[in-house]
Amino acid sequence: MFNKPELVAPGGNFEKVKIAFTYGADAVYLGVEEFGLRKSAQNLTFLQLHEAVELANTLNKKVYVVLNGYTFQDDLEKLPYFLEKLESAKVHALIISDLGTMRMAKKYSTRPLHTSTQASISNWKAAEEWKKVGAKRVVVARECDITECKEIQEKADIEVETFVHGAMCVSYSGKCTISNYSSGRDSNRGGCIQTCRHPFEFNNEPNEDPVYLMNAKDLMGVSLIPEIKKAGLHSLKIEGRMKSNLYLANTVSIYRDAIDTNVLTDNQIDTYETKLKTISNRGFTDGSLHKKADAKESVSSKWNGYSKGSIYLGTIKHKDDQNFYYAEIKGTFHSSENLEVLMPNQLQNIPLNTELFTLSNQKLERVRQNSIVKFKSNTPLELYSILQKPLFNS
Amino acid sequence: MTSKLTTFISSEKELHDYVKAGATHLIIDNTPYSNRSLKPESTLQNTISLFKTCQTKYPDIKLSLNCDVILHNHMIDDIISLFKLLNDINCHHIRFQDLGILTLIKDYCPKATPCYISETGSNNIESLKQLVELGVECIQFTNELPFNHIQQFENELNIETQLQVHGHILIQHSHRQLLSGINKAAFTFHQTEDHNFKGRFYHFYEGQHGTFMFGHFDRCLLEEISRLKKCNITDWIIDFRGLNNDIISQCITTYQKTAKTDLNKTNLTQYKLNLEILTKRPSKAGFFISNKTDIDWRDEKKQPLKNKQVVAQFLDTEKPNYLVMEAIHKFEVTDNLYLLTPENKELHYNTISISNLTDSNLTVCQSGEMIKLPWIKGIMPGTKLIQPI
Ligand code: SF4
């Protein structure tokens, strides 16, 4: 039996923190108001951060705060105040990519420090240097395979966290400034506009179709969980602070199950992969987890759009004492369509056949986006269960 | 101080041509551990031999070795062998970007000055001081830094500094062999046009360490030469690796002239244009003048929520019955609350009453609670309930 790695999930907002914990994450990473890399993620307020840490402590889970944007000189002034606020929230770690931010964090905080994947650590010698400056953990470059991760962890004697799922930069993280030059947005401070997803024409081949030269497929490492457990890696990370509640719940529950299962069969892995593929994706690859990513296999150079097998409709957020469930709806649908519910601790979706109402008790035929519906269910549902619509012609 | 005119060489021919053109610092780039070396077939022996030739023929020229690969564990032993050899032949500088290589330099080539190339990041004095504490003795600043910050750092750091003054701007580095992946030749430059942004031409180069993408314009500090001189940079770097020797020589000679003489703006612009004609590419000073990247959302004055606290956010509305919101943290129901639409329009109630979903009045709303407010004209998705601070 091997030690179970910690499962670290994205906490794009407070609700997602609760969903990640409900579906089995051991820890979440999140941004707080400023300094996070995802400027448009709905970062948490400091008040919410305090609540998130309290919740995590109650559940014996962890909250890691990202300060992984590259710090410019003008940002330094605000940093001590921000670090002190994080200190007072007693977050469980800070994720940092910049040496200067790390240095300031050591001065103004006693929180454990993790080096972000933005630092592109891909060898044990570099991990040792980051350890010298205060890192307790390194989130290694996505370009490292499992053997390299293991070697880094053992030789540098440091916790290693590696990405196992989600969208990927085609670039070494932190080494891309395309957006800086093409649009005045800083790729390394949350402003990336994803120019790497554009098609490019080769000038000396005018008759060729444009190619999506850098359109990296999404990472899916669920089949490698047994190998990762055997290697004894400390933590596994899921990308996607901006993604939907469905993505989060589905991905976390599958990786939770894969980590907790002692012996994974090929059938189980097939089931996991099929379920992961139902959520909108750019095609999947195991990236460099197994061996160096091969461009043919890991880039969608002929892009036909996202593929998915299911549409996110909404999240159940409340149940009243008359057993009405209330769901926040994010996608338009018709009440006669086949609906399914994803619940915590259950990999199998439950069909939902019920009447839907507005809060003023009007029966709904067509349910619109950005609304609340209430309904009853024969099967008891849990808070943060996710409503979805399977697509049969995906 | 006279800055050294610095460029990259991979062959004896380049060595002679660039010294003749006025280069006073050469970076040996034919190593297997130079990230985008154009000489993939080179061996450690070739590298050492080029080094020795430089030392013998031009003893006054400063020499550096480029070792800016992103280090993977399997490369460590070979790099140690290279550094041991370099230590014996007095290599002046070793350039690296991977912190793992720093300890290898200190342990196996202690005579060399470790020179950190910040391709990205380390754009603040605390980072730079941290690097110095780790043993870095020379730093190449990023191309994202404006001159005023460079000057400030230069004054605060007592070490050698480097800056790319001219050449292709590396904007992306992938570990993957992207060109081979679509059956295009590696080890050669390919010009592409962004299909979604016509008129923007990017170069790609695939070497043994992955694929490199270069900006749609080149860097040129000729028109900023007086500011550049005030920065007191030790080494001015011209990085046109991949272009022919004549163009690179012309570029070196141009900077040599401008370094020695104070030329007027018209002359400098003419020099810039001459180089653009040779390279057939536009060039700019870019972020050297100022870096206003993301200025719109970093500007605190433009932040609509400054001095306000969002206490609840929109979930649903039904005209004229209700507005449903979700409390994002605990708050008391007071008269000061108002709504703010995504268009920053304030909507005020005469008196505000808030209830739960089963219509019981609330005086305190709990974090995460769904609450009902009266409908009011102008509400739209994205509306927030605000409490002034
Ligand atoms: S443009 Fe692409 S490679 Fe660059 S930071 Fe954005 S997602 Fe990553």
Side-chain angles (χ1 to χ4, degrees), chain A residues 36-37 39 69-70 72 75 179-180 183-193, chain B residues 144 287 291-300 302-303:
Chain A
L37 193 56
K39 78 159 167 127
Y70 280 152
F72 269 69
D75 303 323
S179 299
N180 305 47
S183 65
R185 297 280 169 209
D186 194 332
S187 303
N188 297 309
R189 290 196 289 175
C192 166
I193 57 148
Chain B
E144 292 160 67
F287 296 129
N291 188 339
K292 291 201 164 63
T293 310
D294 292 336
I295 200 84
D296 50 349
W297 63 274
R298 287 184 184 282
D299 185 353
E300 290 198 357
K302 289 188 188 159
Q303 311 244 327

Side-chain angles (χ1 to χ4, degrees), chain A residues 103 122 129 174 201 292 360, chain B residues 71 103 120 133 177 195 318:
Chain A
R103 189 173 149 98
S122 52
E129 292 300 286
E201 286 159 30
K292 180 180 171 179
S360 44
Chain B
L71 185 68
T103 51
T120 53
E133 275 172 26
Q177 321 293 131
H195 187 69
E318 186 179 284

Side-chain angles (χ1 to χ4, degrees), chain A residues 168-171 176 178-179 187 192-197, chain B residues 172:
Chain A
M168 286 194 284
C169 270
V170 77
S171 169
C176 175
I178 306 178
S179 299
S187 303
C192 166
I193 57 148
Q194 306 226 336
T195 306
C196 66
R197 308 282 178 196
Chain B
Q172 194 269 120

Side-chain angles (χ1 to χ4, degrees), chain B residues 20-38:
Chain B
K20 199 167 146 208
T24 47
H25 174 194
L26 294 171
I27 301 167
I28 310 267
D29 195 47
N30 69 341
T31 109
Y33 301 107
S34 163
N35 221 2
R36 42 189 162 119
S37 171
L38 305 176

Side-chain angles (χ1 to χ4, degrees), chain B residues 78 87 127 228:
Chain B
D78 279 352
N87 200 45
S127 287
L228 177 63

Side-chain angles (χ1 to χ4, degrees), chain B residues 157-171:
Chain B
L157 296 167
N158 194 17
I159 58 168
E160 288 180 39
T161 53
Q162 304 187 337
L163 187 71
Q164 182 181 349
V165 295
H166 205 101
H168 299 321
I169 304 170
L170 178 67
I171 58 171

